[in-house]
């Protein structure tokens, strides 16, 4: 009997019996690829549970006995991990090519090794001599990290089981291959099967595993999204090549807060952690200029201040341009529509450019008011009052809605020398004598109070 072939969407992992141009599950086009089933049945190994066995919840570890974490003493990395490395955890790290993933993980492996952990760094893309050369350049030659270069997952698991380390780094999951899967390395079937074997091995042996994943041109980790569901933590290493800093962002974390960030600076000696990212993002800020507004945002559990920059210029085109870097372009269109419909301030015939300074990506709705302030400042060619931070969400009725963690935002702003704040009415600001807080009810009041019009 001929082997049956299945088809899998490389974006969401949905399975189909035949090829189709469009995935019905996620709506992506040209993402369904042919996949062969496993050539050999599974070994039947489990995580130690017998068929039909049940464990009472009260017999499990109590909240007072959480899994013991190991801190690397690299505060930015420990923050993103949720307080340190959890035993028997699986972590997936993704990022653009050349952004510094291997450098970050080599430094992390050395940091954990210096804390007494037995660490193995396995590279499927570089020889051990090349990894050692990079370690010497980073000043990590004295770290007790074992290096290996292999892509055969069966040999890797055999070696790791014999060594029994506390942490294993796999660089990268796209280069690993299983001889039981009749497919090329890097394919959907190989990536999914290799990730499943590594995660199961980590849970069964109590070994922490860190996987490196390549990123597609859409900015997502290559392979089916089901790989992200397999692991405990998914981290993205972000940054612009024109800037010296990198951001490690947690988009999924079963052991800590999601959307937490750690900020690093790329230097000649590797990645150096940045303890105060707000000062870094505002380091090039001088005197107030038109089109600039300082936004007090929240990334995970930490407040981060950044500058929203806008440029409004007459358009020579029939359809004006709307260019956005670091923010949602759809939300920019909404803010422009509210300004025109509710405040009577048109942007017809004007090109609008919006940029988050420093390459930071902002996703929270609290940036609406800062974006509107930057747009109005650029359009009216009038700078905002000095030492002022702005934040708040704008509704379609032009009302300003309070946002979460207002006190933490203001506290961070005061620490950096800001003395004025503009925010929605009804916000829980707390008592502060050294900061002038102006609370406004809607966008029309903001326009009239700050720019004297509207």
């Amino acid at each position: 009997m001929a082997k049956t072939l299945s088809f899998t969407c490389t974006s969401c992992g949905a399975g189909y019996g035949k090829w189709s141009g469009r995935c019905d599950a996620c709506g992506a086009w040209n993402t369904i690829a042919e996949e062969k089933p496993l050539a050999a049945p599974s070994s039947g190994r489990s995580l130690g549970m017998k068929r039909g066995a049940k464990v009472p919840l009260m017999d499990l570890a109590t909240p007072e006995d959480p899994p013991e974490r190991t801190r690397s003493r690299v505060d930015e990395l420990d923050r993103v991990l949720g307080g340190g490395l959890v035993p028997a955890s699986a972590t997936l790290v993704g990022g653009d090519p050349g952004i510094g993933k291997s450098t970050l993980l080599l430094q992390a492996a050395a940091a954990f090794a210096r804390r007494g952990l037995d660490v193995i760094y396995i590279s499927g893309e570089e020889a051990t001599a090349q990894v050692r050369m990079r370690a010497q350049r980073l000043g990590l030659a004295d770290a007790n990290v074992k290096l290996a270069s292999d892509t055969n997952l069966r040999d890797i698991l055999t070696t790791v089981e014999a060594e029994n380390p506390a942490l294993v780094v796999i660089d990268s999951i796209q280069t690993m291959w299983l001889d039981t899967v009749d497919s090329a390395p890097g394919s959907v079937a190989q990536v999914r099967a290799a990730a499943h074997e590594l995660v199961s091995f980590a849970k069964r042996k109590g070994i922490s595993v860190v996987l490196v994943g390549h990123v597609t041109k859409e900015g997502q980790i290559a392979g089916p999204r089901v790989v992200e569901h397999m692991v405990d933590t998914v981290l993205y290493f972000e940054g612009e090549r024109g800037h010296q800093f990198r951001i490690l962002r947690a988009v999924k974390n079963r052991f800590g807060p999601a959307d937490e960030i750690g900020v690093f600076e790329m230097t000649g000696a590797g990645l150096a952690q940045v303890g105060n990212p707000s000062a870094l993002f505002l380091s090039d800020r001088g005197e107030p200029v038109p089109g600039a507004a300082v936004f007090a945002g929240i990334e995970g559990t930490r407040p981060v201040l950044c500058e929203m920059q806008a440029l409004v210029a007459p358009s020579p085109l029939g359809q004006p341009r709307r260019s956005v870097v670091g923010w949602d372009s759809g939300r920019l269109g909404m803010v422009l529509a509210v300004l025109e419909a509710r405040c009577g301030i048109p942007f017809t015939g004007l090109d609008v450019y919006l940029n988050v300074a420093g390459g930071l990506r902002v996703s929270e709705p609290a940036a609406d008011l800062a974006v509107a302030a930057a747009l109005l400042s650029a359009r009216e060619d009038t700078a905002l009052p000095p030492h002022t931070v702005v934040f708040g969400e704008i509704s379609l009725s032009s009302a300003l809605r309070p946002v979460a963690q207002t006190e933490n935002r203001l506290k961070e702003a005061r620490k950096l020398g800001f003395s004025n704040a503009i925010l929605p009415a009804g916000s829980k600001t707390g008592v502060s004598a050294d900061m002038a807080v102006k609370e406004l009810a809607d966008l029309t009041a903001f326009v009239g109070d700050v720019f004297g019009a509207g």
Side-chain angles (χ1 to χ4, degrees):
M1 181 181 295
K3 294 181 179 179
T4 59
L5 300 179
S6 61
F7 295 83
T8 305
C9 176
T10 58
S11 179
C12 65
Y16 298 92
K18 62 179 181 179
W19 184 87
S20 177
R22 182 176 183 270
C23 176
D24 296 333
C26 64
W29 287 90
N30 298 324
T31 58
I32 297 178
E34 184 178 355
E35 176 186 358
K36 295 183 180 181
L38 295 179
S42 61
S43 59
R45 293 175 298 179
S46 63
L47 299 181
M49 178 176 289
K50 298 179 180 180
R51 177 175 298 181
K54 294 175 287 291
V55 180
L57 180 62
M58 63 183 64
D59 292 344
L60 301 178
T62 61
E64 289 76 20
D65 299 323
E68 184 178 355
R69 299 174 183 263
T70 302
R71 300 184 64 88
S72 65
R73 292 185 178 175
V74 180
D75 295 338
E76 296 299 302
L77 177 61
D78 293 335
R79 175 193 294 271
V80 177
L81 291 176
L85 185 67
V86 176
S89 62
T91 304
L92 181 63
V93 180
D96 294 332
I99 203 68
K101 300 186 298 296
S102 299
T103 300
L104 171 67
L105 292 181
L106 188 58
Q107 291 185 230
F112 283 113
R114 287 166 178 164
R115 294 287 292 156
L117 294 185
D118 190 6
V119 183
I120 297 180
Y121 185 97
I122 301 175
S123 176
E125 302 176 347
E126 298 176 281
T128 54
Q130 296 173 327
V131 178
R132 189 179 296 110
M133 184 187 306
R134 177 154 35 92
Q136 292 177 350
R137 177 174 59 85
L138 300 176
L140 307 176
D142 59 337
N144 187 21
V145 178
K146 300 177 182 178
L147 303 178
S149 179
D150 201 349
T151 58
N152 190 327
L153 191 59
R154 184 189 299 273
D155 297 340
I156 291 174
L157 294 181
T158 302
T159 302
V160 172
E161 188 171 10
E163 295 289 339
N164 193 26
L167 173 62
V168 177
V169 179
I170 304 294
D171 187 9
S172 65
I173 187 61
Q174 274 79 15
T175 60
M176 300 294 112
W177 64 278
L178 278 168
D179 51 9
T180 57
V181 178
D182 189 10
S183 183
S187 62
V188 174
Q190 285 283 3
V191 171
R192 182 165 55 183
H196 173 72
E197 288 290 335
L198 286 167
V199 173
S200 300
F201 182 83
K203 303 298 183 182
R204 187 170 62 252
K205 297 296 183 181
I207 299 174
S208 300
V209 175
V210 178
L211 311 176
V212 178
H214 293 169
V215 172
T216 62
K217 60 182 179 181
E218 288 82 12
Q220 298 178 349
I221 295 178
R225 296 300 297 271
V226 70
V227 175
E228 298 187 12
H229 303 319
M230 291 180 183
V231 298
D232 301 310
T233 306
V234 179
L235 309 178
Y236 277 88
F237 202 42
E238 306 171 350
E240 300 290 340
R241 293 184 181 273
H243 299 281
Q244 74 276 13
F245 61 87
R246 305 287 186 266
I247 298 175
L248 184 64
R249 185 186 303 272
V251 298
K252 172 189 175 182
N253 194 349
R254 291 173 179 164
F255 312 118
D259 293 329
E260 189 68 84
I261 66 168
V263 183
F264 298 86
E265 184 178 4
M266 180 64 76
T267 65
L271 292 167
Q273 58 180 339
V274 178
N276 189 355
S278 298
L280 175 65
F281 293 132
L282 298 177
S283 60
D284 298 331
R285 178 177 171 83
E287 295 296 325
V289 295
V294 177
F295 166 61
I298 295 290
E299 294 290 342
T301 59
R302 71 159 36 153
V304 177
L305 269 63
C306 62
E307 187 179 66
M308 312 295 289
Q309 300 175 344
L311 176 62
V312 178
S315 177
L317 307 175
Q319 183 175 1
R321 296 189 60 183
R322 302 288 187 261
S323 179
V324 185
V325 177
W327 206 52
D328 184 14
S329 58
R331 205 153 187 89
L332 172 63
M334 186 204 74
V335 173
L336 292 175
V338 172
L339 285 173
E340 184 166 356
R342 305 298 184 186
C343 303
I345 302 178
F347 284 83
T348 306
L350 298 175
D351 288 336
V352 176
Y353 301 89
L354 180 67
N355 175 51
V356 181
L360 182 67
R361 298 185 183 276
V362 177
S363 58
E364 60 173 332
D368 291 349
L369 188 57
V371 170
L375 293 173
L376 293 171
S377 174
R379 187 184 185 278
E380 302 298 328
D381 197 24
T382 302
L384 292 174
H387 309 294
T388 301
V389 295
V390 185
F391 58 89
E393 181 181 355
I394 300 176
S395 65
L396 294 180
S397 63
S398 79
L400 300 182
R401 304 181 60 183
V403 296
Q405 302 189 42
T406 300
E407 297 182 13
N408 292 337
R409 301 173 196 261
L410 296 178
K411 182 179 179 181
E412 180 72 10
R414 290 196 302 270
K415 186 171 65 175
L416 294 178
F418 289 87
S419 56
N420 303 312
I422 302 176
L423 59 152
S427 301
K428 298 180 180 179
T429 59
V431 180
S432 177
D434 56 348
M435 193 166 195
V437 177
K438 184 176 296 184
E439 300 185 30
L440 302 175
D442 52 31
L443 192 57
T444 304
F446 170 79
V447 175
D449 186 88
V450 178
F451 298 96

